[in-house]
């Protein structure tokens, strides 16, 4: 057996064994582009088919970008599969149009479509998807991530195995793979876009890598060892962070500030990352994580996403949305006080006791005048709670605040931030809508509370 064939077989089998990529009787979906890497992968897996009792299927996608060239690649892939007695599956798609419809780059759309197609074929419990990523691809990925300012996670590179996706050639260099093809008389196609420097990864491939190889001829292996080492370190950090998360969690989406601050910065950041991800369903960037750290230190509220907020109060960090917020800010209104003002989220709410008020007042003002003699128990300034209802003075129709806010097209993320005043019987007044009919000033009212609101415009800290 020739040198490159020996190297590829040795490295690929080592990867399969080390990461438990294959089991006896597996159905293997091989992503076959027709390039040297995927041709080598298909040929190698076919050579160990009997050893592992594999059911191999090759999958090719025509992205609809390169016209006749792409059609020829599909024909080549089908012919190769038939020659190796491998089942062939083809997907033809307009990738440019798909990218436009979904607001993606063509590269993003292409990747999504590929893995959706592969997954549709891997439809049995013992199915795996094999892609032909190699050590050069891993090196390019690490360089690309670091250049963008990635965290240590970006240095992990391409994982040899992720869920049901395996990469047997991950430790093989592109040079070894092309040598394998030559030694085994395997022809392959060359994607013309790979020869262009238009795309970032191709710039790294054609301009950066050659310079690195002039420093270390085995630079691909060096990056592979580096990525393996980083993956081991990250696994340890993730396990420590998971334990720390459980320690800091008081309740669902609620965490102890003291415990968070007791962790090393690296662990603390990972706990906060997980907390944001759990609640918002988003993968936060470093800026979002740091914003929450500042929120912890400053005892403030911040907006992370359209409908995702964080607040620190009384030593507790809590995540909430604008729809289901339970008030984090309640103020008792003392009726005996002539004039008071309250900083309430992004609002300043002022109350004033009035005497001998004229009956000839503007309707808008009348909407914000409360008859104090109708108040039952304590008067509290707060935000909306589930089940709150109001009967507006002009409409004489009772509605929940939730329904009222929806009808008035108030954005979902703002509904839980609007100031309301309630007593022991329920809602008395709502900012923007006025006083509840049962609490409204009448001609016989003697003790009247006026409410005025102005916006502070300092609530959110957006990027």
């Amino acid at each position: 057996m020739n040198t490159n064939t020996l190297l590829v077989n040795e490295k690929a089998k080592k990867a399969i064994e080390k990461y438990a990529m294959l089991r006896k009787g597996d159905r293997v979906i091989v992503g076959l582009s027709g390039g040297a890497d995927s041709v080598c992968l298909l040929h190698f897996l076919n050579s160990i088919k009997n050893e592992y009792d594999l059911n191999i299927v090759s999958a090719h996608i025509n992205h609809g970008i390169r016209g006749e060239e792409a059609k020829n690649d599909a024909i080549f892939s089908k012919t190769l599969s038939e020659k190796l007695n491998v089942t062939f599956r083809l997907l033809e798609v307009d990738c440019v149009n798909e990218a436009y419809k979904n607001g993606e780059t063509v590269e993003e759309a292409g990747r999504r479509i590929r893995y959706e197609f592969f997954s549709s074929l891997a439809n049995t419990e013992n199915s795996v998807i094999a892609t032909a990523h190699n050590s050069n691809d891993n090196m390019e990925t690490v360089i690309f991530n670091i250049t963008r300012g990635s965290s240590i996670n970006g240095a992990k590179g391409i994982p040899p195995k992720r869920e049901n996706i395996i990469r047997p050639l991950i430790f093989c260099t592109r040079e070894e793979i092309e040598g394998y093809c030559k030694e085994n008389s395997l022809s392959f196609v060359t994607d013309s876009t790979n020869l262009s420097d238009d795309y970032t990864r191709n710039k790294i491939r054609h301009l950066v890598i050659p310079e690195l190889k002039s420093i270390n001829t085995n630079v691909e292996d060096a990056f592979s060892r580096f990525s393996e080492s980083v993956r081991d370190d990250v696994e340890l950090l993730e396990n420590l962070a998971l334990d720390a998360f459980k320690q800091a969690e008081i309740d669902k989406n609620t965490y102890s500030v003291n415990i968070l601050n007791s962790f090393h910065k690296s662990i603390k950041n990972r706990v906060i990352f997980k907390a944001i991800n759990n609640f918002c369903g988003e993968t936060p960037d470093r800026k979002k994580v740091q914003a929450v750290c500042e929120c912890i230190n400053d005892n403030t509220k911040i907006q992370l996403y359209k409908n995702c907020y964080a607040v620190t109060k009384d030593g507790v960090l809590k995540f909430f949305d604008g729809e289901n917020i339970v008030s984090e800010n309640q103020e008792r209104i003392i009726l005996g006080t002539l004039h008071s003002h309250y900083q309430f989220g992004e609002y300043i709410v002022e109350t004033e006791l009035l005497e001998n008020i004229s009956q000839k007042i503007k309707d808008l003002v009348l909407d914000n005048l409360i008859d104090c003699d109708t108040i039952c128990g304590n008067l509290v300034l707060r935000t909306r709670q589930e089940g709150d209802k109001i009967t507006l003075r002009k409409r004489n129709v009772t509605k929940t605040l939730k329904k009222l806010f929806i009808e008035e097209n108030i954005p979902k993320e703002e509904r839980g931030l609007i100031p309301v005043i309630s007593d022991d019987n329920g809602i008395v007044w709502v900012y923007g809508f006025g006083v509840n009919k049962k609490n409204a000033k009448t001609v016989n009212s003697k003790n009247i509370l006026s409410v005025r609101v102005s916006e502070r415009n300092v609530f959110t800290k957006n990027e």
Side-chain angles (χ1 to χ4, degrees):
M1 193 176 287
N2 294 319
T3 304
N4 288 300
T5 302
L6 282 169
L7 279 172
V8 168
N9 273 285
E10 180 183 339
K11 289 183 176 182
K13 287 182 177 180
K14 181 181 177 181
I16 289 171
E17 292 171 6
K18 183 173 182 177
Y19 294 97
M21 293 183 180
L22 293 174
R23 298 159 299 181
K24 294 278 186 179
D26 271 351
R27 173 182 169 88
V28 185
I29 311 304
V30 182
L32 179 63
S33 68
D37 301 336
S38 63
V39 167
C40 173
L41 176 62
L42 182 63
H43 186 272
F44 164 75
L45 288 173
N46 201 52
S47 72
I48 63 170
K49 177 173 64 175
N50 293 333
E51 180 182 350
Y52 282 89
D53 189 25
L54 302 178
N55 174 18
I56 301 176
V57 177
S58 66
H60 180 86
I61 300 99
N62 180 347
H63 296 91
I65 296 174
R66 294 177 293 115
E68 286 300 315
E69 182 182 353
K71 291 180 181 179
N72 290 333
D73 290 354
I75 294 171
F76 170 85
S77 297
K78 181 180 180 182
T79 301
L80 174 64
S81 299
E82 290 173 346
K83 181 179 179 181
L84 296 175
N85 197 28
V86 169
T87 302
F88 176 74
R89 293 289 181 266
L90 172 66
L91 174 68
E92 295 181 309
V93 63
D94 185 344
C95 197
V96 174
N97 187 49
E98 284 290 317
Y100 175 77
K101 287 194 302 184
N102 291 280
E104 303 167 300
T105 66
V106 175
E107 288 172 302
E108 289 170 343
R111 185 181 188 281
R112 174 180 59 79
I113 290 166
R114 279 196 301 278
Y115 281 99
E116 286 176 353
F117 179 47
F118 297 157
S119 295
S120 71
L121 297 173
N123 53 10
T124 62
E125 188 177 337
N126 64 329
S127 294
V128 293
I129 297 167
T131 64
H133 293 94
N134 57 50
S135 61
N136 289 70
D137 296 319
N138 178 71
M139 176 169 56
E140 292 161 12
T141 297
V142 172
I143 294 170
F144 178 70
N145 289 341
I146 291 174
T147 303
R148 291 191 305 166
S150 168
S151 67
I152 189 174
N153 285 337
K156 292 192 301 182
I158 301 172
K161 181 181 180 181
R162 178 172 58 83
E163 297 176 349
N164 71 331
I165 299 172
I166 63 172
R167 300 179 173 102
L169 303 185
I170 195 64
F171 299 127
C172 304
T173 68
R174 187 167 289 126
E175 184 179 359
E176 291 165 352
I177 289 169
E178 291 181 356
Y180 178 103
C181 291
K182 183 177 181 181
E183 291 169 5
N184 289 278
S185 302
L186 297 171
S187 59
F188 53 86
V189 299
T190 302
D191 184 341
S192 62
T193 59
N194 285 334
L195 302 178
S196 167
D197 286 341
D198 292 342
Y199 296 98
T200 303
R201 286 184 179 274
N202 285 341
K203 288 182 179 180
I204 293 172
R205 179 177 302 176
H206 300 303
L207 301 178
V208 178
I209 301 301
E211 293 298 320
L212 293 177
K213 285 187 73 67
S214 71
I215 299 171
N216 178 4
T217 55
N218 294 317
V219 69
E220 299 95 339
D221 291 340
F223 268 82
S224 290
R225 293 194 301 272
F226 171 66
S227 291
E228 276 198 283
S229 176
V230 170
R231 283 194 291 270
D232 289 341
D233 291 345
V234 169
E235 183 180 1
L236 172 63
L237 288 171
E238 292 290 354
N239 288 334
L240 292 173
L242 183 60
D243 290 339
F245 181 90
K246 293 175 182 177
Q247 293 176 43
E249 190 177 35
I250 300 171
D251 200 354
K252 189 175 181 180
N253 304 314
T254 308
Y255 308 88
S256 166
V257 169
N258 286 338
I259 294 178
L260 284 172
N261 285 333
S262 72
F263 299 140
H264 185 279
K265 182 179 179 181
S266 176
I267 300 300
K268 178 181 176 181
N269 286 346
R270 287 174 182 274
V271 172
I272 291 172
F273 177 98
K274 180 174 174 59
I276 296 172
N277 180 254
N278 280 2
F279 182 76
C280 302
E282 302 280 354
T283 302
D285 57 22
R286 186 175 181 83
K287 290 181 180 179
K288 293 281 195 304
V289 173
Q290 290 307 307
V292 174
C293 287
E294 292 174 12
C295 172
I296 290 173
N297 295 329
D298 298 340
N299 266 5
T300 57
K301 284 182 182 177
I302 59 169
Q303 182 177 2
L304 294 166
Y305 298 98
K306 182 178 180 181
N307 199 30
C308 178
Y309 301 83
V311 62
T312 303
K313 186 178 180 182
D314 299 329
V316 174
L317 169 67
K318 184 175 178 64
F319 294 88
F320 61 93
D321 60 36
E323 175 66 13
N324 299 311
I325 174 177
V326 175
S327 177
E328 296 295 338
N329 190 5
Q330 289 198 3
E331 298 283 353
R332 171 87 177 273
I333 297 176
I334 308 300
L335 289 177
T337 305
L338 290 177
H339 188 276
S340 300
H341 91 280
Y342 309 89
Q343 291 190 354
F344 191 81
E346 61 179 323
Y347 304 100
I348 296 175
V349 180
E350 296 181 78
T351 63
E352 183 179 4
L353 280 176
L354 304 176
E355 296 178 355
N356 301 319
I357 188 169
S358 169
Q359 302 304 314
K360 296 180 179 179
I361 54 179
K362 291 182 179 179
D363 214 29
L364 183 61
V365 175
L366 193 59
D367 277 339
N368 295 287
L369 297 181
I370 299 170
D371 184 343
C372 295
D373 293 329
T374 66
I375 300 303
C376 177
N378 296 320
L379 206 59
V380 176
L381 174 64
R382 60 171 174 82
T383 53
R384 181 185 72 83
Q385 295 178 356
E386 193 64 35
D388 281 342
K389 297 178 181 180
I390 189 171
T391 304
L392 297 180
R393 185 176 62 88
K394 297 176 184 176
R395 303 186 191 181
N396 200 29
V397 175
T398 301
K399 293 184 179 181
T400 63
L401 297 193
K402 180 177 181 179
K403 185 173 183 180
L404 187 64
F405 291 168
I406 292 173
E407 288 178 351
E408 295 298 323
N409 296 318
I410 294 175
K412 185 177 180 181
E413 63 272 16
E414 295 178 13
R415 297 172 197 164
L417 310 175
I418 295 173
V420 306
I421 295 175
S422 68
D423 65 6
D424 292 355
N425 282 338
I427 295 298
V428 172
W429 169 93
V430 180
Y431 174 51
F433 296 90
V435 67
N436 198 330
K437 184 178 179 181
K438 67 182 178 63
N439 303 109
K441 174 195 172 299
T442 68
V443 293
N444 299 316
S445 298
K446 295 179 180 179
N447 300 307
I448 298 167
L449 187 72
S450 169
V451 185
R452 293 190 300 274
V453 180
S454 57
E455 297 189 23
R456 298 171 60 205
N457 293 321
V458 295
F459 175 76
T460 58
K461 293 182 181 179
N462 290 315
E463 291 179 22

